[in-house]
Amino acid sequence: MQTFKGIAVSPGIVVGRVFVLDDQRRRIPKRLVKAEQVAVEHDRLWKSLGESIAELNGLRESTRRQLGDEAAKIFQFHIGMLSDASLTHPMHERIDREKITAEYAVYTGFEDLLRKFSKMADPSFQTKVDDIRDLSARVIKHLIGEHKGRLDTMASGVVVARDLTPSQTAGFDRRHVQAFTTDLGGRTSHTAIFARALGIPAVVGVGNITEFAIDDAPIIIDGDRGVVVVDPDQATLDEYEGFSEARQTLAISLHEFTGLPSITSDGTPIQLLGNIEIPEEITQVIKAGGEGVGLYRTEFLYLVDNIEPSEADHYEAYRRAVELSAGRPLTIRTMDLGADKATQERAENPERNPFLGLRSIRYCLQNLPMFKTQLRAILRASSLGPIKIMFPLVTNVSELRQGKYLLNDVMEDLEDEGLAFDRKVEVGMMVEVPSAAIMASTFARECAFFSIGTNDLVQYTLAVDRINERVANMYNPAHPAVLKLVRDVVRAARRYTIPVSCCGESAGDPEYALLLIGLGLRTLSATPSSIPGLKRVVRKVTVQQCERIAQKAISLDSDVAATAYLRDQARKIIPELVDGRSGER
């Protein structure tokens, strides 16, 4: 039995059989052609490019129908590459110069591009490397016939691969692909985004699982914790099969709560909202019993293409989100670029420590034309329905003031142009760093609402990179220092009568939700799949119970003691939501 720890990018537990997807590409041999054959090779190249673009157009349309416009734009990027003369012209030149076949010209042309990307130090370039491999295989397929992929022979199983291209993931048949795991990848890769949108449990960035996986061997994918077990022993297999059955049974029982109001047993309303990355996920939020969107991450618009999204691109996404929200709350976070996201991929000199560098609101304030483009689109969409605007990673008052000043500047421009927008649109901020939490009273005087982002707040308070396996055990949102910061933010918000919510991953954890309610939070925003469980928690507890739990946890002197206490209390109150695996998180 081999147990691997990776990055959980799409929740769910699957006990299945390994299906190894060999991602080694065929090496195309160099073949020379006679001079009179050169014209034919040019024609073959043009034809294969045209057929590939037509195929991509079909993929784009099917993806648009299934996942929405933003997801479909990934294939627009592919189409743009194949239409780019700077890529295809050298292929034609090589055919003329070396008298070679079209397939070898394509193969070498893409290999040259791959080498350039692979030499770049920043790991975020891996996303585009996948795209290039995908394109190369597609064009070669149209030149020399399709190399029948192993996925075509798959009946049902768990895909294990070195890596997956965006089109492979988007094209997964959910009737056959139960889950997948890869050696490479990260939370913000196209593959991870598609997995979440498709609802396929997935763990990526495992390292070297392909070295141990054998076809048809039993495998466990735990997309909740980021754990993969290859060839589990019978005891582990039985244990996880029990987990899976219990999870399914629980999901059925929780479905009964989706239509019920989110009110504690002593009558206090707790608003449950959803976190989304693409507008189409709003449907999942509502289906799960959510009351609206507490966090719309807009970075996806920048992940799908190398070209900066236009105002029209932004507007269409926000228009669609307003339409699907149908009058429900919709909070749009301005772009949180930087760190491990698309910004580093495009930077001439990637930052050594981007999490402490030019990211989020800092990046926006140094790229004003881009920032104003997004603000214009959000404001225009605000004329169609209720929208709130939220600035990310604000660390000092001047950043908040600059953001609001720019927003007012854009409002004046729209007024001059005669374009409609909501002049009273609410502007708030994420509280994600200790400086913002400590100065919450100052910030509360200058914005309409707070949203506590526990992901970064924990990371910056404890100086722990939450995706670094070497220190991951030190990342704990129940640390008393973090709890005190959350408590102080809530108190400041109440003092100045502004709403405050929590939209980090912790907000979706039923155990941690007890703490948050006890600390005074009355709005929680989580992934759509977490909402039914949260509603069950809310309807079973009293505020007084939660306050006692929070008071005790915050008085303890270590995160270990706080976590143990919280787990013990959760098992007493909501045993059906505590499956016994909490200690391994």
Side-chain angles (χ1 to χ4, degrees):
M1 183 172 76
Q2 295 281 342
T3 301
F4 300 84
K5 188 73 172 71
I7 301 170
V9 295
S10 188
I13 297 173
V14 170
V15 179
R17 293 281 172 175
V18 169
F19 186 90
V20 179
L21 187 63
D22 186 358
D23 70 344
Q24 290 186 345
R25 300 165 60 242
R26 285 177 295 173
R27 183 172 182 83
I28 305 298
K30 184 175 182 178
R31 280 200 308 112
L32 302 179
V33 298
K34 295 179 180 180
E36 57 268 26
Q37 183 69 19
V38 167
V40 175
E41 296 305 310
H42 283 303
D43 289 341
R44 292 181 66 227
L45 177 53
W46 283 122
K47 182 181 178 183
S48 66
L49 290 170
E51 289 172 342
S52 297
I53 289 173
E55 185 176 45
L56 286 165
N57 273 317
L59 262 175
R60 181 180 61 181
E61 290 307 311
S62 63
T63 302
R64 176 180 287 122
R65 288 193 298 271
Q66 197 175 123
L67 300 178
D69 290 337
E70 281 120 285
K73 286 176 185 174
I74 288 176
F75 299 107
Q76 185 60 49
F77 163 66
H78 288 198
I79 293 168
M81 281 196 72
L82 293 187
S83 304
D84 189 346
S86 67
L87 173 66
T88 60
H89 185 65
M91 297 177 185
H92 284 286
E93 285 184 329
R94 186 166 284 173
I95 292 174
D96 282 329
R97 184 175 63 252
E98 301 179 27
K99 306 294 188 294
I100 55 173
T101 60
E103 55 266 29
Y104 189 69
V106 169
Y107 175 76
T108 53
F110 277 109
E111 286 298 308
D112 288 345
L113 194 57
L114 276 170
R115 277 191 290 272
K116 291 177 183 177
F117 274 77
S118 297
K119 287 179 181 177
M120 296 175 179
D122 193 88
S124 59
F125 278 97
Q126 185 61 47
T127 300
K128 293 297 179 253
V129 168
D130 295 341
D131 291 344
I132 294 167
R133 287 199 186 103
D134 200 10
L135 281 176
S136 178
R138 189 179 303 282
V139 178
I140 290 173
K141 175 190 73 175
H142 285 289
L143 276 165
I144 60 178
E146 183 167 6
H147 176 51
K148 208 67 173 173
R150 293 198 71 236
L151 279 173
D152 297 326
T153 67
M154 184 178 185
S156 180
V158 174
V159 171
V160 178
R162 176 71 175 161
D163 206 358
L164 292 167
T165 65
S167 62
Q168 280 178 315
T169 313
F172 276 162
D173 188 333
R174 279 176 283 182
R175 295 171 300 177
H176 299 156
V177 178
Q178 298 172 290
F180 72 81
T181 182
T182 59
D183 290 342
L184 307 177
R187 280 188 176 85
T188 60
S189 69
H190 296 157
T191 298
I193 292 169
F194 274 133
R196 287 192 291 271
L198 290 168
I200 299 176
V203 180
V204 304
V206 176
N208 61 343
I209 191 169
T210 50
E211 295 179 18
F212 297 90
I214 299 174
D215 268 343
D216 207 40
I219 187 171
I220 296 168
I221 301 292
D222 187 341
D224 298 334
R225 297 182 304 139
V227 172
V228 179
V229 184
V230 175
D231 199 18
D233 57 31
Q234 193 57 48
T236 304
L237 201 59
D238 292 343
E239 182 182 31
Y240 263 94
E241 285 176 345
F243 288 156
S244 181
E245 291 175 6
R247 203 176 191 278
Q248 293 175 22
T249 301
L250 180 61
I252 293 172
S253 66
L254 291 179
H255 181 70
E256 301 174 2
F257 291 90
T258 57
L260 299 177
S262 180
I263 301 176
T264 61
S265 59
D266 56 351
T268 301
I270 305 294
Q271 187 178 43
L272 299 181
L273 305 173
N275 299 339
I276 66 167
E277 294 187 76
I278 57 176
E280 276 62 30
E281 289 181 280
I282 294 174
T283 303
Q284 299 175 31
V285 172
I286 297 169
K287 186 177 179 181
E291 300 174 48
V293 174
L295 172 63
Y296 176 8
R297 302 182 178 98
T298 56
E299 295 78 53
F300 190 82
L301 288 162
Y302 294 82
L303 291 172
V304 298
D305 205 334
N306 266 344
I307 302 172
E308 185 179 313
S310 66
E311 182 179 328
D313 294 329
H314 280 285
Y315 176 75
E316 178 54 31
Y318 309 144
R319 181 203 63 77
R320 179 65 173 154
V322 171
E323 178 184 23
L324 290 173
S325 297
R328 298 178 180 86
L330 172 62
T331 301
I332 300 177
R333 184 179 71 183
T334 58
M335 47 198 162
D336 184 5
L337 295 175
D340 58 339
K341 297 186 173 73
T343 325
Q344 293 301 306
E345 181 178 314
R346 296 168 183 159
E348 291 183 15
N349 298 302
E351 296 177 80
R352 291 183 180 180
N353 193 345
F355 282 102
L356 296 178
L358 190 66
R359 61 167 293 202
S360 305
I361 192 67
R362 301 172 182 175
Y363 181 82
C364 291
L365 294 176
Q366 290 199 27
N367 292 271
L368 296 184
M370 182 178 72
F371 191 27
K372 284 189 173 183
T373 294
Q374 180 178 35
L375 294 178
R376 281 179 60 91
I378 296 175
L379 284 173
R380 287 174 55 203
S382 72
S383 68
L384 307 175
I387 283 178
K388 294 181 181 180
I389 298 174
M390 182 161 63
F391 297 138
L393 208 77
V394 175
T395 61
N396 59 68
V397 177
S398 64
E399 290 171 338
L400 176 61
R401 289 171 180 166
Q402 286 180 67
K404 291 168 62 179
Y405 174 83
L406 285 168
L407 185 66
N408 286 328
D409 195 32
V410 172
M411 286 181 174
E412 291 179 5
D413 290 343
L414 293 177
E415 280 184 340
D416 291 342
E417 297 170 38
L419 296 174
F421 66 93
D422 179 8
R423 167 58 80 172
K424 297 181 180 179
V425 63
E426 293 187 6
V427 181
M429 59 174 272
M430 298 281 291
V431 179
E432 301 173 274
V433 294
S435 63
I438 293 169
M439 294 185 63
S441 293
T442 301
F443 285 110
R445 292 193 290 267
E446 303 215 14
C447 61
F449 62 93
F450 286 154
S451 186
I452 302 172
T454 53
N455 298 355
D456 275 328
L457 185 59
V458 175
Q459 177 168 248
Y460 292 121
T461 302
L462 305 183
V464 174
D465 181 353
R466 61 194 176 94
I467 62 174
N468 184 334
E469 288 299 319
R470 296 182 180 182
V471 295
N473 64 310
M474 299 174 67
Y475 179 92
N476 191 340
H479 193 291
V482 176
L483 300 185
K484 289 177 181 178
L485 290 176
V486 172
R487 178 198 62 191
D488 292 347
V489 172
V490 174
R491 285 178 176 175
R494 282 184 173 176
R495 191 177 306 122
Y496 290 91
T497 62
I498 67 169
V500 57
S501 66
C502 180
C503 63
E505 290 179 10
S506 302
D509 186 333
E511 297 174 21
Y512 198 72
L514 297 173
L515 266 180
L516 294 175
I517 294 172
L519 291 171
L521 270 298
R522 297 296 177 261
T523 299
L524 305 178
S525 188
T527 57
S529 60
S530 302
I531 293 174
L534 287 177
K535 188 170 287 190
R536 178 70 185 100
V537 172
V538 169
R539 292 181 60 84
K540 194 165 185 179
V541 301
T542 66
V543 170
Q544 193 174 35
Q545 272 181 300
C546 295
E547 287 175 344
R548 283 199 301 266
I549 291 172
Q551 288 169 4
K552 176 67 175 179
I554 209 169
S555 71
L556 298 173
D557 62 2
S558 75
D559 58 333
V560 175
T563 300
Y565 170 73
L566 178 60
R567 188 177 304 129
D568 178 65
Q569 294 301 306
R571 285 199 178 109
K572 293 177 182 178
I573 299 172
I574 44 172
E576 68 274 24
L577 296 179
V578 182
D579 58 12
R581 298 179 303 128
S582 305
E584 304 174 19
R585 285 181 182 172

